[in-house]
Amino acid sequence: MDLRTPTTEKTSFPAFDIVSTYRTILASDPDLTMPVAAIEALVEAIANSTVNTVAETLDLLTYHTEILKSSIPNPISLSAGTDLFQRYLVTTLNRPASLNLGPEDDFRAIRNHLLSNGRLFVERAKASREKIASFGKHFIRDGATVLTNGGSRVVGALLRRAADSSTMRFKVIYVTSPEDCSDAQGGNKIVADLRAHNVPVATIPDSAVAYSLGKVDMVIVGAEGVVENGGIISRLGTYQMGLLAKSKGKPFYVVAESHKFVRLYPLSQFDLPIDQKVLDFKVAEDVKKPNAEKLTEDEGVADLNTFTTTHLRAADAVDFTPPDLISGIITESGVLTPSAVSEELIKIWF
Amino acid sequence: MSEPTGGETAPSPAPIVNDSTTTSGTPAQPETAAPPPAPPSKDAKTTEAAAGPTKLSAAELKKQKQAEKQARRAQAKSSGPPAPQKGPSNKEGAKSQKESKQSSKDDKSKSLPMRRRNSQPSVVTLKETKKESRKESKKDSRQPGLFFGHLYNQPRQHSIVGATKEVHPAILALGLQYSSYIVCGSTARMVAMLLAFKAVIDSYQTPVGTSLARHLTSHHLSPQIDYLRSCRPLSISMGNAIRWLKDIIIKIDPSTPEAEAKRDLISEIDDFIRDRVTAADKLIIDHAVKKIENGDVILTYASSSIVEKTLVHTHKAGIKFSVIVVDSKPLFEGKQLARKLAHHGIPVKYFLVTGATHAVKQANKVFLGAHAMMSNGRLYSRVGTAIISMLAHAQSLPVIVLCESVKFTERVALDSIVGNEVAPSEEVLSEGERQELLPLKPHLPAGLLTKLGESTDKAGVEKANSSGEVLKWIEASDNLQMLQVLYDVTPAEYINMVITEYGSLPPSSVPVVHRLSMDKQETRK
């Protein structure tokens, strides 16, 4: 590292605002997931830069990745994308032959190839959601009742696809997010959409999951990230759904694109690389004087859509569902058991 | 260490009875070839013949005969010392009948490599015959080890006596260190073996008319390996390293000059140790350190070098945590670990395995070392590890195994019985414990005392309080025996994470990584 960095110090990078690029990309396309948006932003960054060596490209990438990760409150999902892209760059850049380019070709060709491939990746990632939906709809049987939660778009796509097929009648129990949660809107949209497709939907709060479980045939959830041991990181409340489903013997399926596979191995809820303020112990005195904090908190809610807060709000917290609660992970490359995830990750990383 | 004890046990009760009654010098083995020296022996023969067809198939009989023949040949070679003979005493017809049956059964289990670790040396050396005959005489009275009986077939050598002349001095020394647990631990044993092999290769000279690639493995390296195996069964990592070494030796171009080939081999060995152990350990420690946080209480079992390095490294990184070491018989390796960690200033608690439930309640993470990781994700490690992981799992503590990929094996283990290692009974009772048992002598059952009769009369005067005597009591008693296995198997569901140099994996990914590391080895060459 040290050998090649002297010429490219961090300050020498042009002032490309990766964070705002990322946010604009994310905001511009509601169908985009965080890892894909991150990859797109990084491609943009390379396109806007004047790098002309392999080492410089990698340095630029590391630099922007760091900025991006540090300025987003929950970078787990995002880091799946950036890591994947970095890995892809390292393998392709170190083996130019695989691009059908001789070593004598100039770097420009490699870079162009990279940029076009990066965009191709983004296209493919978008398409993968439909593919998952077509795999996953076979899991819903006629007359089934599906329990789901959160505003996961891929779950929405799957349910919609299942609703479109005229042969299937199924019901959905939707666990709604609290109003102040950032994916509450997405959830409402999916519910409205499903109802428009003639699917009966019941909405319940988190606390009614155990109550409703008797009527449920299967649980389908989305995920923010799929971790190395096959567990998932998802919206707060998913873990308890998993536990309850397991205790009642209901199958628990996860739908996630394979670009959400993260190289992360949490051992417990408190082993995640983010700082969540879910447990906030207080005594009477603390409750009396939260005014100062209250202000910033409100600001956070106000700026919700632009994500300016660096602290993760309690409502947007995530939890970790261990692999033994998961029956299957539906991805665009097939339906995997949790233990197969680590195999997939090993394939990517070695 | 135990060769002296071995010497002591030689005039143990059974052989003595034998000596006093054998009229002829030949072993009174119920075999067809030997002329029956006395009527009782004929008795034995007929009973054997009667029992034979019902019990043994023709092939088994043939094998048994072969084994007997070999043993006889070896004995003829060593006709000098009147070693304690195998074979039943022909004093009482009934007794000999029973015994001959049993010894034939033993023979069968010996000649059939049913559940043994693969390939015991088929050439019966002088030393082994002696050992076996001693073991047989012990076995005559009872089946050792209950369902662990097959494990007693593993030879156990505690001296360099009887080692073939090809065995290199470095290997001789190493073998002794193995058998006395001075070099202990799967990784340490493998590295020590490879270093000794370097010396072996260095002093090797290819005989005229053959090539190094053809000759070295089969004629020079195998006696060394056989000797090491006779000192203590090979560890999985050693097996992997040997397979790797044989592989690169085979691939040496026969036209390479000998000096160059030897140099290449030695540097390859160095590379292997560096890549698969030194560098791998570093990576594992880097991964593992991240899993320890301020305020953690780490529980570990016995002693693993990699766990020790991780804990020390974490401590040096300024993270405040404490350690609970759980330990157990027979090796008490945890004492060493606890001492070393305390020296570094880490707060340590030391429990015996009997207090494991309490230990687990105080801990919040479990770090374990490994002897091997099986392909079904199970952990093969020091006996007691399974208890700890199961207790930890019941308390939903994460169980983390640190293991270099060189310890991965493609074999699977379903239980701890089929593949295991037994410690000799003299290692189960420590010197101090034997001393404490000595005063109980008057309470021994009468039958046992009469059985011991002669030896106690003789030895009773000179060394009434010799601690070796306690072992003789146990050996002579019909319904008591010591069993100490050295390893057990932890099912995969009790393991949360395996940290290797390739990163952290669930135990189910062990075969994937094993395949991967084998492929890498292939492509490197």
Side-chain angles (χ1 to χ4, degrees):
Chain A
M1 270 290 190
D2 288 338
L3 286 176
R4 60 182 193 204
T5 37
T7 50
T8 57
E9 269 156 31
K10 285 189 176 175
T11 46
S12 72
F13 288 124
F16 176 78
D17 190 355
I18 183 90
V19 181
S20 67
T21 315
Y22 167 74
R23 280 180 185 142
T24 2
I25 291 171
L26 203 56
S28 67
D29 190 346
D31 276 343
L32 226 48
T33 56
M34 283 198 264
V36 177
I39 291 177
E40 214 168 323
L42 287 176
V43 171
E44 202 76 15
I46 293 176
N48 275 321
S49 69
T50 54
V51 288
N52 44 27
T53 65
V54 171
E56 264 185 291
T57 316
L58 291 179
D59 279 344
L60 179 81
L61 206 66
T62 330
Y63 170 68
H64 281 311
T65 307
E66 282 313 310
I67 295 183
L68 201 56
K69 277 187 187 173
S70 59
S71 54
I72 302 296
N74 174 4
I76 294 174
S77 179
L78 176 156
S79 67
T82 56
D83 286 355
L84 192 66
F85 190 53
Q86 200 168 355
R87 188 67 204 169
Y88 170 73
L89 281 193
V90 170
T91 45
T92 47
L93 290 181
N94 287 342
R95 282 180 292 141
S98 66
L99 309 181
N100 297 325
L101 297 169
E104 67 281 354
D105 273 303
D106 68 344
F107 181 73
R108 193 173 301 277
I110 298 179
R111 193 178 126 185
N112 286 341
H113 175 90
L114 265 182
L115 294 181
S116 61
N117 256 32
R119 297 208 166 100
L120 186 68
F121 175 81
V122 174
E123 290 307 310
R124 265 193 217 150
K126 279 186 196 165
S128 65
R129 196 170 293 157
E130 282 311 304
K131 209 166 176 195
I132 292 175
S134 66
F135 274 129
K137 72 170 195 209
H138 300 294
F139 281 77
I140 303 176
R141 282 182 314 256
D142 192 28
T145 306
V146 179
L147 178 72
T148 182
N149 76 343
S152 164
R153 282 155 295 190
V154 61
V155 175
L158 192 157
L159 292 177
R160 208 174 306 124
R161 176 69 77 91
D164 281 342
S165 71
S166 51
T167 54
M168 214 136 47
R169 288 152 299 170
F170 65 99
K171 288 182 280 189
V172 173
I173 299 178
Y174 204 95
V175 182
T176 50
S177 320
E179 277 312 306
D180 59 343
C181 185
S182 57
D183 63 356
Q185 285 177 331
N188 292 339
K189 211 176 126 224
I190 292 173
V191 170
D193 194 30
L194 283 174
R195 281 175 176 156
H197 278 83
N198 260 341
V199 177
V201 182
T203 56
I204 56 165
D206 265 345
S207 45
V209 171
Y211 171 85
S212 341
L213 215 53
K215 294 274 184 203
V216 168
D217 294 305
M218 63 187 297
V219 184
I220 300 181
V221 296
E224 214 165 273
V226 180
V227 296
E228 265 184 289
N229 56 0
I232 57 164
I233 289 171
S234 193
R235 201 179 71 85
L236 199 69
T238 311
Y239 177 40
Q240 68 194 30
M241 274 171 70
L243 278 175
L244 289 168
K246 172 102 179 177
S247 75
K248 290 284 161 230
K250 311 285 180 189
F252 186 89
Y253 294 108
V254 174
V255 278
E257 300 95 327
S258 62
H259 62 247
K260 281 179 176 168
F261 287 7
V262 207
R263 216 166 139 71
L264 196 73
Y265 202 124
L267 290 169
S268 72
Q269 305 301 326
F270 309 102
D271 197 26
L272 299 176
I274 47 174
D275 189 21
Q276 307 199 90
K277 292 218 164 52
V278 179
L279 298 177
D280 191 7
F281 296 103
K282 281 176 184 162
V283 291
E285 277 176 43
D286 301 334
V287 184
K288 264 183 226 157
K289 47 165 187 177
N291 297 337
E293 270 179 54
K294 194 81 182 170
L295 272 176
T296 56
E297 188 84 23
D298 280 344
E299 224 170 315
V301 178
D303 293 339
L304 184 68
N305 291 326
T306 47
F307 297 101
T308 44
T309 46
T310 48
H311 271 294
L312 195 62
R313 296 173 327 110
D316 282 335
V318 292
D319 61 19
F320 160 62
T321 311
D324 51 317
L325 303 180
I326 297 171
S327 321
I329 299 173
I330 304 169
T331 74
E332 78 271 16
S333 49
V335 183
L336 309 175
T337 58
S339 55
V341 171
S342 112
E343 260 170 73
E344 290 285 313
L345 274 166
I346 289 168
K347 264 188 226 156
I348 296 173
W349 282 84
F350 295 106
Chain B
M1 156 225 151
S2 356
E3 181 47 30
T5 34
E8 269 177 65
T9 44
S12 67
I16 279 175
V17 171
N18 220 353
D19 276 347
S20 61
T21 52
T22 30
T23 45
S24 63
T26 53
Q29 192 74 3
E31 61 205 9
T32 44
S41 170
K42 215 181 225 164
D43 246 34
K45 179 191 161 189
T46 49
T47 48
E48 162 67 21
T54 54
K55 287 190 107 176
L56 307 173
S57 73
E60 282 167 339
L61 268 173
K62 202 173 162 194
K63 266 192 182 154
Q64 177 196 335
K65 241 178 239 170
Q66 265 173 358
E68 279 168 3
K69 213 169 166 187
Q70 260 177 343
R72 244 198 342 270
R73 211 174 291 150
Q75 254 167 359
K77 244 192 279 172
S78 70
S79 55
Q85 307 291 359
K86 71 168 166 183
S89 82
N90 38 10
K91 194 157 114 195
E92 310 135 321
K95 195 180 171 196
S96 84
Q97 177 188 342
K98 186 181 127 213
E99 280 172 356
S100 69
K101 243 192 234 168
Q102 225 161 26
S103 79
S104 77
K105 217 198 278 172
D106 290 335
D107 272 354
K108 181 181 77 175
S109 72
K110 254 202 174 60
S111 52
L112 291 177
M114 286 165 59
R115 289 157 126 187
R116 243 177 348 201
R117 297 274 173 90
N118 40 1
S119 71
Q120 221 161 282
S122 56
V123 184
V124 186
T125 59
L126 161 109
K127 176 70 193 168
E128 261 186 68
T129 338
K130 261 201 248 171
K131 278 196 78 76
E132 273 176 31
S133 60
R134 194 156 70 221
K135 224 177 271 165
E136 297 261 306
S137 64
K138 214 193 297 178
K139 265 189 223 161
D140 282 340
S141 52
R142 62 213 150 102
Q143 195 71 35
L146 302 172
F147 39 77
F148 284 99
H150 61 286
L151 296 174
Y152 285 82
N153 294 334
Q154 295 160 359
R156 193 76 179 218
Q157 187 147 339
H158 292 293
S159 80
I160 57 173
V161 176
T164 49
K165 66 178 191 306
E166 293 101 332
V167 180
H168 192 273
I171 299 287
L172 285 176
L174 182 64
L176 290 183
Q177 288 172 322
Y178 280 173
S179 66
S180 57
Y181 303 110
I182 290 172
V183 175
C184 196
S186 165
T187 319
R189 276 162 70 197
M190 183 195 82
V191 172
M193 179 189 74
L194 285 176
L195 293 178
F197 279 170
K198 265 168 71 181
V200 172
I201 291 170
D202 198 34
S203 57
Y204 170 77
Q205 273 184 326
T206 317
V208 188
T210 178
S211 68
L212 182 132
R214 299 257 169 100
H215 184 266
L216 177 58
T217 311
S218 53
H219 293 88
H220 198 62
L221 230 39
S222 347
Q224 325 283 342
I225 296 166
D226 287 342
Y227 175 75
L228 288 181
R229 189 183 287 124
S230 76
C231 291
R232 205 183 151 185
L234 301 182
S235 73
I236 299 277
S237 53
M238 286 161 75
N240 283 345
I242 289 171
R243 201 170 314 139
W244 163 82
L245 185 63
K246 283 183 175 170
D247 212 43
I248 61 166
I249 291 174
I250 291 275
K251 282 185 183 150
I252 293 173
D253 189 354
S255 62
T256 329
E258 188 184 309
E260 195 181 311
K262 276 160 63 177
R263 204 184 51 228
D264 285 353
L265 273 179
I266 289 173
S267 79
E268 282 268 13
I269 291 179
D270 280 333
D271 287 353
F272 183 84
I273 296 176
R274 190 197 58 211
D275 290 353
R276 305 298 298 273
V277 180
T278 320
D281 278 4
K282 215 175 210 164
L283 285 169
I284 293 172
I285 291 166
D286 284 348
H287 279 293
V289 162
K290 286 184 207 138
K291 289 290 162 198
I292 303 180
E293 287 156 22
N294 270 314
D296 271 355
V297 182
I298 309 291
L299 185 137
T300 182
Y301 182 74
S303 173
S304 151
S305 59
I306 181 91
V307 170
E308 179 194 326
K309 281 185 216 158
T310 303
L311 295 177
V312 169
H313 201 271
T314 316
H315 177 70
K316 285 192 176 143
I319 293 165
K320 297 262 172 287
F321 65 101
S322 66
V323 178
I324 297 176
V325 179
V326 181
D327 200 7
S328 152
K329 297 188 84 151
L331 299 177
F332 290 112
E333 295 154 300
K335 281 182 186 168
Q336 286 288 339
L337 177 68
R339 193 174 297 133
K340 281 185 201 159
L341 293 179
H343 268 307
H344 281 97
I346 304 171
V348 182
K349 275 187 190 172
Y350 180 84
F351 279 75
L352 285 184
V353 79
T354 41
T357 24
H358 293 287
V360 165
K361 271 182 193 139
Q362 294 167 25
N364 69 349
K365 267 168 204 158
V366 178
F367 277 75
L368 298 172
H371 178 92
M373 284 301 296
M374 299 294 179
S375 267
N376 50 356
R378 295 187 168 207
L379 165 68
Y380 184 71
S381 193
R382 180 67 67 227
V383 64
T385 308
I387 304 178
I388 300 296
S389 5
M390 287 173 187
L391 281 171
H393 183 80
Q395 299 272 334
S396 59
L397 301 185
V399 177
I400 300 163
V401 176
L402 310 183
C403 182
E404 297 94 346
S405 69
V406 74
K407 293 180 188 173
F408 286 10
T409 170
E410 68 288 338
R411 292 199 303 189
V412 297
L414 297 174
D415 53 41
S416 319
I417 298 168
V418 174
N420 211 322
E421 188 181 330
V422 284
S425 62
E426 62 260 29
E427 286 165 23
V428 183
L429 281 181
S430 70
E431 197 67 26
E433 282 166 317
R434 286 182 226 163
Q435 291 286 356
E436 280 171 23
L437 284 174
L438 270 179
L440 296 177
K441 194 172 180 186
H443 305 289
L444 287 181
L448 185 63
L449 276 178
T450 50
K451 228 176 160 186
L452 280 166
E454 282 187 27
S455 65
T456 44
D457 280 350
K458 264 190 281 169
V461 195
E462 44 199 272
K463 37 178 181 177
N465 49 5
S466 127
S467 57
E469 201 186 332
V470 176
L471 294 175
K472 274 183 236 158
W473 301 349
I474 295 163
E475 229 165 80
S477 68
D478 289 328
N479 46 8
L480 170 67
Q481 60 171 342
M482 306 291 259
L483 170 67
Q484 178 67 62
V485 290
L486 285 182
Y487 298 101
D488 66 12
V489 172
T490 308
E493 57 263 39
Y494 302 109
I495 300 165
N496 291 76
M497 181 191 223
V498 182
I499 302 185
T500 73
E501 65 260 38
Y502 294 99
S504 333
L505 336 150
S508 56
S509 292
V510 166
V512 185
V513 169
H514 180 65
R515 209 166 50 225
L516 208 86
S517 66
M518 294 311 255
D519 287 352
K520 259 195 186 164
Q521 232 172 57
E522 288 295 309
T523 50
R524 230 168 57 96
K525 276 170 277 164

